[in-house]
Amino acid sequence: MATSDSTGQATLTTSSTISTEKSRQVKASDQSERFHRFVSVERLGAYSDAVFSIIVTFMIIPLSTSVEDFQIYSDVKDNLIAEWHLFFIYIVCYFFVFSLWEHHVRVYEVVEHVGDVVIVLNVIQLLAASMLPFLGALLGDYHEDPLATVVFSLDFVAIAVLQLLSVLFAYRRKKMMRDNINKREAVIELCSSSGILLCLSTVSAAIAFLNTTAAWVILGLALFADTFSIVVVAIYQKFHPHEKYHTLSRYLAHRLITTRSNPDRTKNLTDGVFAIVATLIILDLTNAAANPSDTGPGSIKSELQDDKETFFSYFATFSTVGMIWYVHYTVFHPIQKLSRITSLCNKWVLLFVGVLPMGFKLISKYSTDTWDADENTAVQFNCAIIFGASICQLLTWLSGHWKREKHLHVGYGRIHVYWCLALLLVYPTISLLLFLIAFSPSTLDANAVQAIQISVPALFCVIKMCFEIYVHKAGHAYHTEDIDESDPSDGNDEASVDTNL
């Protein structure tokens, strides 16, 4: 009996020791959780989108300021051709920044919470990315000097290293990621993308002094680092097949074509680019007011008189960019999932929109009291930019309708299709007509063209009233807030879809 009591007492002592040890571990874990602060990823994404939108927009400044150096009586075509390297650098830097942003989206779209280390790494990464407009301008001034290419490539080396560190720290704890995420595949894909960028940019910097053209070709391959990483994961899938994808070709087709993403961050970036582009010309007016040429009596009147063309350009730029954003908002409103094709079309929209301030400044520069061929060329250049942006918007809308049951809200009906199509055709039609009319001498001057573009919002209002009258007479419920924002099931509700907006 004494033996059994001692055995029970020893068991109780052992269990008490185990429970005490477990409570200590739980307390230590709680203290660790309190020390390691995990915050939601949404605000980090919003801040990063704002920074990237500023970077994308500021890259047009070297092109926009180059207009000020154009001689008013020189051939505008020759001036634009002479700046071809600035156009090339703008396009290349634009797609580089967009590839960095897309990688950033892919890193954090599967992460639910981030820690302090990830936030700090993200800030440093944005710092390195924010240097790209300056380095692009440096390349524009010294495009023949290989040192400019070396510095540009080294910036991408730093960005790639920071991307790798961000992935490793953001994915180190499973509870920081969203549910149903294959952590191994995500890490392989993102690390391979950053690793490819690191290798290519390092090689580019190493051979820049030997052959600058070859260095740029190698660095240009870095634009496809994300695509290469998908191929790497596809090879991994071949040896570790996923139950959803039976063949390598099916996996590649899914990832490269039909992969769909949440449009929220795309909307954030797009809104930021539109807002900055719309107000970019106000910097010229602010600089003119801060550095007046005359401060004597009546100088305010003369200053305003001298800046009237810039004022006119600002009003036209803001109206045009604002209305293109309005069309973009209307197009994106029913989209609940973005395909890669839709994202690509939207990327080209922002590329053309970014050049709009240069187009309007060109019109302001060459607007004269008498007809001049350069004035018409400036008008045509501006109309070509608007036409390109509006056509890319139309392609964005069409790509969203590809497999619409998977991309659009259920309540997106026939009336809304006609409404969007009418809005999408406004700027292609007006810009094409003005482009063709500009071939005829002394038909339209630059001020008349800008006046037409300022009055376009009134045309949108007329279209809106016409649709309201039609919907009222047809007896349709024309209320966009009634759109069902639930996930579409299988697209079998087309009979009800076509009767609702």
Side-chain angles (χ1 to χ4, degrees), residues 345-365:
C345 294
N346 184 68
K347 189 187 303 184
W348 280 95
V349 171
L350 298 182
L351 175 69
F352 281 105
V353 167
V355 191
L356 278 175
M358 179 187 179
F360 282 104
K361 287 183 70 172
L362 202 64
I363 290 181
S364 175
K365 180 79 173 182

Side-chain angles (χ1 to χ4, degrees), residues 230-287:
I230 292 175
V231 175
V232 172
V233 177
I235 296 173
Y236 172 82
Q237 284 282 348
K238 184 176 180 62
F239 299 98
H240 303 80
H242 195 282
E243 58 184 9
K244 188 177 179 180
Y245 312 108
H246 302 294
T247 62
L248 183 65
S249 59
R250 173 174 288 187
Y251 178 82
L252 287 174
H254 170 74
R255 290 304 311 276
L256 296 176
I257 300 176
T258 61
T259 297
R260 299 172 186 89
S261 59
N262 192 304
D264 291 341
R265 290 199 59 180
T266 301
K267 293 177 182 178
N268 292 340
L269 179 76
T270 304
D271 292 345
V273 171
F274 273 104
I276 299 169
V277 169
T279 54
L280 203 56
I281 289 186
I282 200 64
L283 294 176
D284 299 330
L285 291 170
T286 306
N287 290 334

Side-chain angles (χ1 to χ4, degrees), residues 268-480:
N268 292 340
L269 179 76
T270 304
D271 292 345
V273 171
F274 273 104
I276 299 169
V277 169
T279 54
L280 203 56
I281 289 186
I282 200 64
L283 294 176
D284 299 330
L285 291 170
T286 306
N287 290 334
N291 301 285
S293 57
D294 184 15
T295 56
S299 59
I300 295 179
K301 184 177 179 180
S302 61
E303 196 73 29
L304 294 176
Q305 185 71 19
D306 293 339
D307 293 334
K308 64 178 181 179
E309 301 295 343
T310 308
F311 275 109
F312 217 32
S313 294
Y314 176 65
F315 296 152
T317 303
F318 198 95
S319 300
T320 303
V321 175
M323 289 300 100
I324 294 177
W325 173 85
Y326 167 63
V327 176
H328 188 279
Y329 170 82
T330 307
V331 169
F332 264 69
H333 181 64
I335 293 179
Q336 64 175 358
K337 291 293 182 181
L338 276 180
S339 67
R340 291 180 70 93
I341 299 175
T342 306
S343 300
L344 177 63
C345 294
N346 184 68
K347 189 187 303 184
W348 280 95
V349 171
L350 298 182
L351 175 69
F352 281 105
V353 167
V355 191
L356 278 175
M358 179 187 179
F360 282 104
K361 287 183 70 172
L362 202 64
I363 290 181
S364 175
K365 180 79 173 182
Y366 284 91
S367 60
T368 56
D369 295 332
T370 59
W371 176 82
D372 185 79
D374 288 331
E375 184 177 9
N376 278 22
T377 304
V379 169
Q380 289 178 324
F381 178 81
N382 184 61
C383 292
I385 296 171
I386 298 174
F387 183 80
S390 54
I391 288 297
C392 290
Q393 273 195 325
L394 181 60
L395 294 176
T396 303
W397 181 72
L398 292 174
S399 64
H401 280 259
W402 177 60
K403 294 186 178 181
R404 56 180 292 178
E405 70 278 0
K406 295 182 179 180
H407 297 150
L408 308 180
H409 294 306
V410 172
Y412 186 79
R414 186 175 300 168
I415 300 299
H416 201 285
V417 171
Y418 297 152
W419 161 248
C420 282
L421 188 59
L423 296 182
L424 285 164
L425 292 177
V426 170
Y427 272 110
T429 304
I430 292 177
S431 58
L432 182 60
L433 287 176
L434 291 177
F435 182 88
L436 296 175
I437 291 173
F439 281 108
S440 176
S442 66
T443 303
L444 282 176
D445 61 2
N447 290 333
V449 171
Q450 296 195 98
I452 291 172
Q453 291 169 338
I454 292 174
S455 62
V456 168
L459 179 60
F460 279 96
C461 294
V462 171
I463 295 174
K464 170 69 175 178
M465 292 176 60
C466 292
F467 268 87
E468 288 283 1
I469 294 172
Y470 168 76
V471 170
H472 179 73
K473 289 185 177 180
H476 291 286
Y478 188 63
H479 298 290
T480 57

